[in-house]
Amino acid sequence: VNYYASCRPFKIYLLIIVIVLRRTILSPADRAHNSPFSAQPANMPERRPFARLPTDVSPVNYALWLKPDLVDFTFEGKVEARVQVTRATNQIVMNCADIDIISASFASGGKEINATGFNYQNEDEKVTLSFPSALQAGSGILKIDFVGELNDKMKGFYRSKYITPTGEVRFAAVTQFEATDARRAFPCWDEPAIKATFDITLIVPKDRVALSNMNVIDRKPYPDDDNLLEIKFATTPIMSTYLVAFVVGEYDFVESQSSDGVTVRVYTPVGKAEQGKFALEVATKTLPFYKDYFNVPYPLPKIDLIAIADFAAGAMENWGLVTYRETALLIDPKNSCSSSRQWVALVVGHELAHQWFGNLVTMEWWTHLWLNEGFASWIEYLCVDHCFPDYDIWTQFVSADYTRALELDALDNSHPIEVNVGHPSEVDEIFDAISYSKGASVIRMLHNYIGDEDFRKGMNIYLTKFQHKNASTEDLWDCLEEASGKPVAAVMSSWTKQMGFPIIVVDQEQHGEDSVLKISQKKFCASGPFNGETCPNWMVPISICTSEDPSRPKLTMLLDSPETTVTISNLGPSQWVKINPGTVGFYRIQYSSTMLDSLLPGIRDLTLPPVDRLGLQNDLFSLSRAGMISTAEVLKVMEAFVNEPNYTVWSDLSCNLGVLSSLLSYTDFHEEVQEFICDLFTPIGQKLGWDSKQGEGHLDALLRGLVLGKLGKAGHKPTVEESHRRFKDHVDGKVVLSADLRSPVYLTVLKHGDSATLDTMLKLHKQADMQEEKNRIERVLGAISDAELTQKVLAFALSEEVRPQDTVTVIGGVASSSKQGRKAAWKFVKDNWDELHNRYQGGFLISRLIKLTVDGFVDEKMAAEVKSFFESHHAPAAERTVQQCCENILLNAAWLKRDADDIHQYLLKRKGSACNPAV
């Protein structure tokens, strides 16, 4: 499942914002100054007691019939599960939630016994079926009749609202089962290791489309009602319950075949089939790519990709029937922006990777969730790089995933990649940037360490050995070790079983023609130098390059001790040395001042590759937040980027300046910060201009949108004036804004607009036929400055005009707009907590809502207030997020107190010593 359709997040979600546009500082649990390789941080959220299902009865096959009622929002169901009883028992324990069992019986050896009792354990989402006599060892059929509700919680078997082309409101019946919600659709053994085959039959209105994991093998009238059809699907391969899916609704589709003969369909809302063509193109290229990469064929005859109107995650990898948010699948050739195309390509690549890695071979338990998500979050970039080499996607990976994971994992309230998960309520907590983005980053580091050839060989061994089975993290390490001959398990355990990462401290001495580097590692903490008793150690793959060849490592090594010394021969004093070329190793770097000074000209003259320019700046920014260097010094370094041409480098700079601007909005010199931003971004803005030029590509379009949005928000007068002019022409129908300019223009006119501007924007939202356009508007509504209008935006967030999953985006947009907006959003969340918590019921969206609302506060009283509120308003799935947010608030407070005066003095001195550039 991709929860970063926002955010990888949005794989992460991810405020649901395209990752290439926005990255928020993420945060995690209490300082693990405990022993290395411990499985848990010292202060984890309290764990509820939990036991996995008994193993005395297990399913072999489910024959499942479901009859949804799309008017009354209920469903009737029947399951006949062929089971194996391994030892005699008079009860069967299964998972069951929000379902009423009407009757149950067990048939074996020509006898059928009716269950005499159903004992629901609602807290644990289990039911115990009791029988009057023991069920003997052997095979049998468990039959259960049941009823349930098509809920509105975007989990289990639920209803999704859509508008027909004629304007009528209707509902589809759809599913979202990961992690633990198949039990809301039918009683089952809802654990990833308890695999079975499925024969699914849906009884549906004859004018509706019905889809499931497999192809349709029979379609006939339903005997009790002429308006219904009974649709039977082929038997699935052996699979986990969380991957089962069914959809009943109204859809159009486009179809193609991959080069290896798999039928691919993209299902769209009625009348929008054309918007499925881009995803279809990506999917038909992607399936053969993965088949070749893994050397394992796709095992099903078809794959469907379908856009669901109300959908909490970004997408879900159900085997053979992948479900998506509309914005993660649909592309309008005329009205979709470049970032949306890129996002769709990444999400399609992510979900199709799961068809092998997750579906064919499945994690044994949720502790190994990271293996599913981290791997898919890495290989989606490999796939997009194959399909669209002009996207420079690996540089974007560093900004979107790698640095996000470093930010979160530097917190005392982080958690290891591998977290011991017990109770279902704990699973949603680990769908975060550690599982997705740190997972992807350490896999990228591993791939680099053992090389592509051995990595592919190891993946083939793993997928072949464990196909249709379950596996753990250690199983993958064993296979990669077998292929490469390198100590994969020893190296990777240091990255997955303990939280955090090292800071590599480097100093250099010149000995004649040789350069001697002293390299040491320590745990990096967002709060400053590590001061625990026992410092954890990592096995760190280190690469070193020099100015002789910045793109190729001169030396590689494995740092497995606290410190070491390395000699580089024939390296003169005028040559620079760079650690971690390509920004692949998952660590921060602190150079001696002499080494750093020698690297800085490489930023200005672009001799350092883009990904290394980005990494250097990001490390310095992070060190300044931790109080290890002065923030004013980092601002000086940022000024060296004035000649920067690369989109992703600017994107990361923009993000870090956004964090700093938010922090300094709590001072009386916020205007000077905006002037600094304008000075930095004006030259590249003038170079790009407003309109695309012949020969420009994907990255130019992304850069133009980024720069104009940054200048507009900062109040750059010419940008504000031109935005208002173009917006008026757009609204009047004179000149329609290109899709790539809409976000920056909408943001700018709202930031510097009034009630008429907001009314116009809300009117555009209502008229928009495309969810991408509605989301584009929802993301920026919070930019409006007037306090009364901010309240109007917040009320709009909970209105029928905004889809349930997008409410979080609107509230988050208000919170990120200004200190007044953050205060208003927090009050709104508190005042409407019951409704919001009920709406998202423990899913990951509640964590995202909390994070987006409170993470930017900067005073200790607010940290105490947030902590106190959630002590009396429990949100079990967001416990760790609350701890992380409180930590971030305290870090912000310390940063502001420590550096505000220095930053102010630097900005004043800079202003006094140089004329402002003409704007």
Side-chain angles (χ1 to χ4, degrees):
V1 65
N2 194 329
Y3 283 122
Y4 286 107
S6 51
C7 98
R8 195 174 347 335
F10 210 109
K11 39 225 319 211
I12 244 187
Y13 194 11
L14 357 221
L15 188 55
I16 309 296
I17 295 184
V18 176
I19 56 170
V20 297
L21 291 181
R22 171 95 185 260
R23 189 183 81 240
T24 52
I25 293 185
L26 288 137
S27 24
D30 253 65
R31 179 163 284 176
H33 297 331
N34 48 358
S35 62
F37 294 67
S38 64
Q40 302 288 329
N43 183 12
M44 295 285 284
E46 192 178 330
R47 294 298 176 219
R48 290 162 65 177
F50 173 75
R52 283 166 70 167
L53 293 170
T55 56
D56 48 7
V57 180
S58 56
V60 177
N61 169 270
Y62 294 85
L64 176 64
W65 291 262
L66 286 166
K67 181 170 168 270
D69 184 328
L70 300 176
V71 177
D72 292 335
F73 307 133
T74 58
F75 61 89
E76 298 170 26
K78 178 173 71 168
V79 64
E80 292 187 0
R82 184 153 44 87
V83 300
Q84 198 65 33
V85 180
T86 53
R87 65 173 177 271
T89 177
N90 65 351
Q91 59 182 33
I92 295 177
V93 183
M94 307 170 71
N95 291 114
C96 182
D98 303 334
I99 279 174
D100 289 322
I101 294 175
I102 308 299
S103 64
S105 64
F106 184 85
S108 179
K111 294 180 182 175
E112 188 162 349
I113 314 169
N114 290 318
T116 51
F118 319 131
N119 179 22
Y120 297 92
Q121 294 103 56
N122 292 332
E123 279 288 298
D124 289 334
E125 300 182 341
K126 293 175 183 173
V127 64
T128 301
L129 309 178
S130 301
F131 294 89
S133 57
L135 314 178
Q136 297 305 310
S139 62
I141 303 288
L142 175 64
K143 302 176 183 178
I144 305 175
D145 289 338
F146 57 93
V147 293
E149 178 197 9
L150 288 174
N151 69 69
D152 59 355
K153 309 296 182 205
M154 295 185 286
K155 61 182 183 178
F157 197 14
Y158 71 93
R159 62 186 186 263
S160 170
K161 185 170 82 171
Y162 62 97
I163 312 291
T164 68
T166 58
E168 187 184 341
V169 174
R170 289 186 187 165
F171 290 85
V174 302
T175 56
Q176 170 59 42
F177 289 165
E178 191 178 23
T180 56
D181 291 313
R183 63 194 64 176
R184 293 176 203 283
F186 58 102
C188 57
W189 288 262
D190 199 12
E191 295 181 0
I194 306 179
K195 290 188 167 188
T197 58
F198 292 80
D199 287 286
I200 293 171
T201 301
L202 298 176
I203 295 141
V204 302
K206 62 184 181 185
D207 60 349
R208 296 293 190 269
V209 172
L211 302 170
S212 188
N213 305 82
M214 296 297 288
N215 49 300
V216 174
I217 55 170
D218 190 29
R219 186 189 303 265
K220 60 187 180 187
Y222 184 59
D224 299 345
D225 189 334
D226 290 344
N227 293 313
L228 299 179
L229 284 178
E230 188 173 308
I231 298 176
K232 183 172 173 54
F233 298 88
T235 306
T236 70
I238 186 169
M239 61 190 279
S240 303
T241 48
Y242 80 88
L243 295 167
V244 173
F246 19 91
V247 173
V248 180
E250 296 176 281
Y251 299 94
D252 286 342
F253 68 87
V254 285
E255 178 181 327
S256 186
Q257 276 210 333
S258 67
S259 59
D260 41 1
V262 179
T263 300
V264 184
R265 285 183 175 181
V266 176
Y267 283 85
T268 73
V270 172
K272 297 185 178 180
E274 186 186 12
Q275 294 180 22
K277 286 181 178 175
F278 178 75
L280 185 69
E281 177 197 338
V282 175
T284 50
K285 283 183 184 174
T286 298
L287 285 173
F289 171 74
Y290 286 146
K291 179 195 168 188
D292 292 345
Y293 195 84
F294 300 132
N295 197 19
V296 174
Y298 174 72
L300 305 187
K302 65 92 176 177
I303 189 159
D304 298 327
L305 293 73
I306 185 166
I308 305 295
D310 294 329
F311 197 76
M316 175 63 210
E317 67 267 20
N318 317 296
W319 216 357
L321 176 57
V322 186
T323 45
Y324 294 79
R325 276 191 184 200
E326 289 185 8
T327 49
L329 189 68
L330 304 181
I331 290 295
D332 182 323
K334 292 191 181 73
N335 293 300
S336 286
C337 59
S338 301
S339 57
S340 292
R341 288 173 185 275
Q342 180 174 299
W343 181 240
V344 168
L346 283 167
V347 180
V348 169
H350 181 105
E351 304 309 330
L352 296 193
H354 278 310
Q355 306 302 303
W356 284 263
F357 206 94
N359 299 7
L360 182 63
V361 179
T362 310
M363 69 219 151
E364 193 279 331
W365 185 246
W366 300 109
T367 298
H368 306 282
L369 169 80
W370 86 272
L371 204 56
N372 260 17
E373 298 304 345
F375 182 84
S377 298
W378 169 75
I379 206 168
E380 69 184 57
Y381 284 87
L382 195 73
C383 165
V384 168
D385 192 44
H386 166 77
C387 294
F388 304 99
D390 59 315
Y391 283 11
D392 185 29
I393 204 72
W394 280 116
T395 306
Q396 294 194 54
F397 173 90
V398 173
S399 181
D401 280 86
Y402 171 94
T403 56
R404 161 186 293 158
L406 288 170
E407 286 161 3
L408 177 52
D409 208 28
L411 294 173
D412 293 344
N413 287 295
S414 184
H415 65 83
I417 282 178
E418 290 186 68
V419 174
N420 289 326
V421 173
H423 196 277
S425 67
E426 298 165 16
V427 180
D428 276 325
E429 282 191 77
I430 58 168
F431 281 101
D432 66 0
I434 297 297
S435 294
Y436 284 77
S437 298
K438 183 180 180 181
S441 298
V442 299
I443 286 171
R444 175 171 170 256
M445 178 171 68
L446 171 63
H447 174 266
N448 188 65
Y449 171 59
I450 69 174
D452 187 64
E453 188 180 337
D454 287 344
F455 189 86
R456 290 174 72 164
K457 201 186 299 177
M459 290 307 308
N460 175 259
I461 294 168
Y462 174 79
L463 289 169
T464 305
K465 183 175 181 180
F466 293 101
Q467 61 184 320
H468 302 300
K469 297 177 189 164
N470 295 81
S472 67
T473 301
E474 289 70 26
D475 293 321
L476 178 60
W477 299 160
D478 290 347
C479 294
L480 292 169
E481 203 160 292
E482 180 185 331
S484 67
K486 290 189 174 177
V488 173
V491 171
M492 295 308 290
S493 292
S494 73
W495 296 95
T496 65
K497 292 187 183 297
Q498 63 184 355
M499 75 177 208
F501 58 88
I503 179 168
I504 304 298
V505 180
V506 197
D507 203 354
Q508 181 181 20
E509 287 180 8
Q510 195 68 30
H511 291 187
E513 286 300 302
D514 297 340
S515 186
V516 178
L517 302 182
K518 184 183 175 187
I519 300 173
S520 62
Q521 62 162 304
K522 261 197 169 181
K523 184 180 190 301
F524 180 76
C525 302
S527 54
F530 177 86
N531 55 16
E533 290 175 19
T534 310
C535 190
N537 237 35
W538 285 264
M539 294 184 75
V540 190
I542 301 253
S543 299
I544 302 169
C545 72
T546 69
S547 47
E548 198 173 67
D549 187 352
S551 61
R552 191 183 301 273
K554 193 174 182 78
L555 187 150
T556 58
M557 56 175 284
L558 189 65
L559 178 65
D560 56 1
S561 58
E563 60 181 61
T564 192
T565 302
V566 176
T567 300
I568 302 177
S569 305
N570 301 317
L571 189 76
S574 62
Q575 290 183 282
W576 52 252
V577 175
K578 168 86 173 59
I579 309 294
N580 202 17
T583 318
V584 175
F586 193 74
Y587 45 83
R588 295 284 186 198
I589 304 166
Q590 185 170 24
Y591 294 99
S592 66
S593 55
T594 310
M595 289 183 78
L596 181 61
D597 287 345
S598 72
L599 283 167
L600 294 182
I603 292 175
R604 212 175 265 278
D605 65 19
L606 309 179
T607 50
L608 269 176
V611 72
D612 291 308
R613 301 197 295 269
L614 187 161
L616 193 61
Q617 177 268 137
N618 197 280
D619 278 348
L620 291 171
F621 187 78
S622 187
L623 291 172
S624 73
R625 188 180 189 235
M628 296 166 75
I629 59 173
S630 157
T631 307
E633 290 301 313
V634 180
L635 291 175
K636 279 184 198 169
V637 172
M638 286 180 169
E639 292 197 74
F641 284 87
V642 71
N643 301 318
E644 181 58 55
N646 185 276
Y647 159 71
T648 312
V649 178
W650 276 113
S651 177
D652 199 69
L653 264 170
S654 170
C655 190
N656 289 338
L657 281 168
V659 170
L660 199 57
S661 176
S662 174
L663 182 82
L664 297 174
S665 66
Y666 291 88
T667 69
D668 56 5
F669 60 91
H670 192 230
E671 281 308 308
E672 281 95 325
V673 181
Q674 304 316 299
E675 286 174 24
F676 178 86
I677 290 170
C678 287
D679 289 349
L680 189 59
F681 279 78
T682 295
I684 184 69
Q686 289 175 334
K687 183 181 175 185
L688 286 164
W690 276 85
D691 300 305
S692 60
K693 303 172 186 70
Q694 195 170 358
E696 284 188 346
H698 175 77
L699 294 168
D700 299 296
L702 293 180
L703 181 56
R704 180 175 287 106
L706 174 81
V707 171
L708 292 175
K710 200 71 179 174
L711 286 168
K713 190 174 183 184
H716 180 246
K717 198 176 173 188
T719 304
V720 174
E721 288 172 354
E722 182 66 5
S723 294
H724 278 294
R725 187 186 72 75
R726 288 182 181 241
F727 182 67
K728 185 176 186 305
D729 284 352
H730 176 70
V731 173
D732 292 346
K734 289 181 185 172
V735 183
V736 175
L737 274 169
S738 74
D740 286 313
L741 288 180
R742 288 183 201 173
S743 281
V745 167
Y746 292 172
L747 172 72
T748 302
V749 298
L750 276 163
K751 178 77 179 171
H752 308 282
D754 54 19
S755 60
T757 317
L758 180 60
D759 288 344
T760 303
M761 202 63 81
L762 291 174
K763 188 178 174 188
L764 285 178
H765 182 278
K766 195 171 186 67
Q767 290 170 347
D769 182 44
M770 207 183 142
Q771 196 57 32
E772 178 188 325
E773 177 74 353
K774 286 184 183 291
N775 283 172
R776 192 162 24 232
I777 293 166
E778 288 161 0
R779 280 199 295 270
V780 298
L781 286 174
I784 200 82
S785 300
D786 180 81
E788 203 174 300
L789 297 178
T790 296
Q791 292 304 319
K792 186 174 178 179
V793 171
L794 288 167
F796 175 76
L798 276 177
S799 73
E800 287 287 317
E801 296 293 319
V802 177
R803 285 186 177 165
Q805 70 267 23
D806 297 323
T807 295
V808 174
T809 306
V810 181
I811 298 171
V814 171
S816 66
S817 65
S818 64
K819 63 180 182 181
Q820 294 86 357
R822 188 169 296 113
K823 189 176 176 184
W826 171 230
K827 183 177 186 306
F828 184 80
V829 167
K830 288 187 294 181
D831 291 347
N832 294 276
W833 177 253
D834 289 345
E835 181 177 349
L836 290 163
H837 190 244
N838 181 53
R839 175 181 288 199
Y840 302 125
Q841 280 209 343
F844 79 101
L845 282 173
I846 202 74
S847 293
R848 184 166 299 158
L849 174 67
I850 293 166
K851 176 167 189 46
L852 290 169
T853 307
V854 306
D855 220 32
F857 283 121
V858 301
D859 89 46
E860 293 169 13
K861 285 181 187 171
M862 283 309 306
E865 182 181 316
V866 170
K867 183 171 183 282
S868 172
F869 179 81
F870 288 108
E871 281 171 351
S872 57
H873 298 79
H874 295 293
E879 281 181 54
R880 188 185 280 113
T881 297
V882 171
Q883 292 176 352
Q884 293 166 357
C885 289
C886 290
E887 181 181 353
N888 260 334
I889 295 168
L890 295 174
L891 287 168
N892 289 340
W895 190 13
L896 189 64
K897 188 176 179 182
R898 185 179 61 239
D899 275 11
D901 286 346
D902 276 358
I903 294 168
H904 193 199
Q905 289 309 308
Y906 170 74
L907 293 174
L908 288 174
K909 184 179 172 189
R910 180 182 169 277
K911 198 173 175 180
S913 64
C915 296
N916 285 330
V919 291

